[in-house]
């Protein structure tokens, strides 16, 4: 098995667990995305919720990408880290008045509106400020993303987005309002999508909705197809960069745009997951009856995906080149779900060995908690160790 390249010597003096970000890989990834959308009317907004580490945000903002935010504080964080307000989109089913005001005060590019009552509140708050809010209607396209049910968002009965039957009412309301400008339609069908045919289905639906809205007189400068492109968690060393070329080519092929119409994307995981690893240390090797447990000092408080979604992360013992042995890798938290992997093959471990839990750059650090009074993991970067 090939292992990832880690500066193991430098890690020895750092207290574990911590997140380690490979900035070179992040830059390569961002270069790939930038190249793939070059010369097209494609606009990428990085989904801040995947990883809101300021260092990572600044790197992404420096490439000129926009930000996709799902809370008022994410909007503020994105602005602080250098994202242009004119490239910030703001989604979320429960935007509070305070959060909507943050968006209005900063003149963000677009609110992705998820319900009729939200439309009414944005109109009221925008009118109080004498501003016009640009909005896109988030539509539930009823596309199956063929992914984990907790991360599928585009099916019919779902808290996200507007249903088809709400659309005439939404257009009627917007027509009567004077502080809302409809600039597009928005979709987001789910996350960790590796079967690209789901995106083809989305293209078909997007075209249908565009036609229907057009027939009702709505002019749509943009279509926003959300995010969800998956990565290869199994083989991070062989597939360190998601297949952005195929992804963008698919939209170019299946979602032909009207003249001047822009296509917007909101990619989170695929932009940042591969560059992050959670580095932890073997605390104990415990011989069970039929199993060996490798107990590490990171837990579900540092990386919750395995416990929350039974998500798979490739794990390597970067401190050993001994023979391979089968382990359950578990954390110290008082929850039986605090398991990183079961029956996996690792170089035989001893107390103190450094263990890398790979592809943890998305929905990792940003979801860390203080449960069990634990400290939040720190982060380190390959270019400033
Ligand atoms: C989470 C989210 C994204 C990003 O999803 P990824 O799977 O990380 O690419 C994009 N848009 C919206 C509205 C989201 O909620």
């Amino acid at each position: 098995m090939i292992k990832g390249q880690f500066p193991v010597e430098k890690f020895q003096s750092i207290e574990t667990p911590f997140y380690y970000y490979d900035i070179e890989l992040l830059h390569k990834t961002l270069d790939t995305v930038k190249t793939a959308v070059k010369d097209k009317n494609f606009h990428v907004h990085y989904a801040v919720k995947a990883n809101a580490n300021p260092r990572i945000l600044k790197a992404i903002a420096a490439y000129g990408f926009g930000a996709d935010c799902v809370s008022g504080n994410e909007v503020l964080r994105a602005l602080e880290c250098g994202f242009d307000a004119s490239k910030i989109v703001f989604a979320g089913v429960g935007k509070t008045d305070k959060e909507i005001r943050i968006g209005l005060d900063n003149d963000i590019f677009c609110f992705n509106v998820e319900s009729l009552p939200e439309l009414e509140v944005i109109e009221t708050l925008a009118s109080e400020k004498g501003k016009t809010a640009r909005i896109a209607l988030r539509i539930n396209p009823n596309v199956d993303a063929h992914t984990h049910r907790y991360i599928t968002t585009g099916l019919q009965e779902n808290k996200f987005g507007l249903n088809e039957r709400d659309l005439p009412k939404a257009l009627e309301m917007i027509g009567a309002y004077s502080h809302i400008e409809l600039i597009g339609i928005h979709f987001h069908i789910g996350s960790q999508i590796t079967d690209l045919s789901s995106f083809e289905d989305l293209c078909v639906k997007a075209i249908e909705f565009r036609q229907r809205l057009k027939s009702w007189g709505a002019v749509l400068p943009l279509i926003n197809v959300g995010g969800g492109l998956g990565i290869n968690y199994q083989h991070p060393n062989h597939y360190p960069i998601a297949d952005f070329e195929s992804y963008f080519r698919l939209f170019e092929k299946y979602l032909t745009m009207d003249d001047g119409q822009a296509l917007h994307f909101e990619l989170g995981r695929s932009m940042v997951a591969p560059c992050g690893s959670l580095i932890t240390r073997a605390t104990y090797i415990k011989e069970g009856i039929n199993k060996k447990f490798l107990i590490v000092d990171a837990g579900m408080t540092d990386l919750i995906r395995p416990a929350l979604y039974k998500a798979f992360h490739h794990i390597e013992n970067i401190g050993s080149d001994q023979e391979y042995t089968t382990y359950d890798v578990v954390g110290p938290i008082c929850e039986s779900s605090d398991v990183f992997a079961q029956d996996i093959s690792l170089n035989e471990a001893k107390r103190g060995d450094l263990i890398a839990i790979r592809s943890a750059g998305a929905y990792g650090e940003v979801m860390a908690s203080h449960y069990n009074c634990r400290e939040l993991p720190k982060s380190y970067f390959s270019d400033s160790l």
Side-chain angles (χ1 to χ4, degrees):
M1 273 180 248
I2 317 180
K3 284 204 220 178
Q5 301 294 309
F6 291 98
V8 176
E9 282 310 309
K10 285 183 178 162
F11 285 175
Q12 295 300 348
S13 57
I14 305 177
E15 192 185 351
T16 48
F18 60 88
Y19 276 89
Y20 173 73
Y21 294 104
D22 179 343
I23 295 298
E24 194 188 331
L25 177 57
L26 176 64
H27 285 158
K28 272 190 193 157
T29 307
L30 299 176
D31 284 331
T32 306
V33 177
K34 205 169 174 176
T35 307
V37 300
K38 206 174 78 194
D39 305 326
K40 300 184 182 78
N41 200 355
F42 283 8
H43 304 265
V44 175
H45 306 265
Y46 164 66
V48 172
K49 76 174 190 287
N51 188 323
N53 185 305
R55 196 48 230 288
I56 301 287
L57 290 183
K58 283 175 192 164
I60 297 172
Y63 271 72
F65 294 117
D68 163 42
C69 301
V70 291
S71 76
N73 282 348
E74 279 192 2
V75 172
L76 294 174
R77 173 81 64 96
L79 289 166
E80 271 163 32
C81 292
F83 287 94
D84 219 56
S86 68
K87 294 180 182 172
I88 293 180
V89 297
F90 185 6
V93 294
K95 301 179 195 79
T96 63
D97 292 14
K98 183 177 168 188
E99 293 180 305
I100 292 169
R101 288 196 180 102
I102 288 172
L104 291 168
D105 287 340
N106 289 288
D107 296 315
I108 62 165
F109 175 58
C110 187
F111 292 87
N112 292 330
V113 172
E114 311 219 12
S115 68
L116 298 177
E118 181 190 338
L119 211 48
E120 193 181 334
V121 171
I122 294 179
E123 166 67 15
T124 307
L125 299 180
S127 111
E128 279 171 21
K129 291 184 184 292
K131 294 202 171 197
T132 299
R134 283 168 299 274
I135 67 127
L137 295 173
R138 176 168 180 177
I139 302 171
N140 216 320
N142 201 18
V143 168
D144 190 348
H146 303 292
T147 180
H148 194 286
R149 73 188 166 91
Y150 287 173
I151 50 181
T152 292
T153 57
L155 286 172
Q156 191 111 56
E157 200 64 331
N158 197 301
K159 74 171 179 175
F160 300 102
L162 292 154
N163 290 313
E164 219 171 312
R165 59 138 221 251
D166 297 328
L167 294 177
K169 180 73 187 162
L171 291 186
E172 185 192 318
M173 290 165 74
I174 294 165
Y177 292 156
S178 46
H179 299 86
I180 280 185
E181 181 192 355
L182 176 67
I183 61 168
I185 47 178
H186 171 239
F187 307 92
H188 175 66
I189 57 173
S191 202
Q192 184 49 21
I193 298 168
T194 48
D195 174 359
L196 293 186
S197 69
S198 300
F199 292 118
E200 278 180 42
D201 296 346
L202 171 60
C203 290
V204 171
K205 291 284 180 147
I207 290 171
E208 277 174 31
F209 280 109
R210 176 177 59 193
Q211 284 315 112
R212 200 163 318 157
L213 271 95
K214 229 180 180 174
S215 73
W216 293 330
V219 182
L220 303 173
L222 69 86
I223 296 180
N224 181 336
V225 291
L229 176 63
I231 64 147
N232 188 320
Y233 279 99
Q234 261 70 30
H235 303 288
N237 299 315
H238 295 87
Y239 302 101
I241 297 182
D243 191 0
F244 294 107
E245 283 91 351
S246 303
Y247 173 77
F248 288 113
R249 217 182 298 124
L250 183 151
F251 284 97
E252 200 176 14
K253 180 167 171 198
Y254 292 100
L255 185 42
T256 42
M257 306 301 286
D258 290 348
D259 268 352
Q261 207 167 40
L263 192 53
H264 288 243
F265 300 85
E266 300 167 341
L267 294 171
R269 182 191 314 272
S270 53
M271 288 172 78
V272 292
C275 78
S277 294
L278 177 60
I279 308 297
T280 178
R281 224 180 265 279
T283 311
Y284 299 108
I285 289 88
K286 176 170 164 176
E287 302 281 346
I289 298 164
N290 298 308
K291 280 175 175 290
K292 266 189 206 193
F293 293 97
L294 171 57
I295 304 171
V296 295
D297 61 6
M300 61 190 282
T301 52
D302 306 294
L303 175 64
I304 202 173
R305 299 188 66 255
L308 193 58
Y309 315 120
K310 291 211 180 309
F312 176 89
H313 285 267
H314 179 70
I315 300 178
E316 293 170 350
N317 183 346
I318 57 174
S320 159
D321 49 17
Q322 302 294 305
E323 289 299 303
Y324 280 88
T325 307
T326 303
Y327 294 100
D328 278 17
V329 180
V330 302
I333 311 296
C334 301
E335 297 287 341
S336 4
S337 61
D338 186 29
V339 173
F340 287 116
Q342 285 180 307
D343 297 319
I344 60 155
S345 207
L346 285 182
N347 294 100
E348 187 173 2
K350 60 183 185 311
R351 180 173 160 79
D353 278 357
L354 286 166
I355 310 293
I357 304 179
R358 305 289 305 279
S359 318
Y363 308 107
E365 187 183 1
V366 77
M367 283 185 159
S369 80
H370 284 294
Y371 183 46
N372 286 191
C373 287
R374 284 168 62 85
E375 283 167 28
L376 294 181
K378 291 197 172 65
S379 52
Y380 296 87
F381 304 91
S382 59
D383 61 345
S384 56
L385 258 192

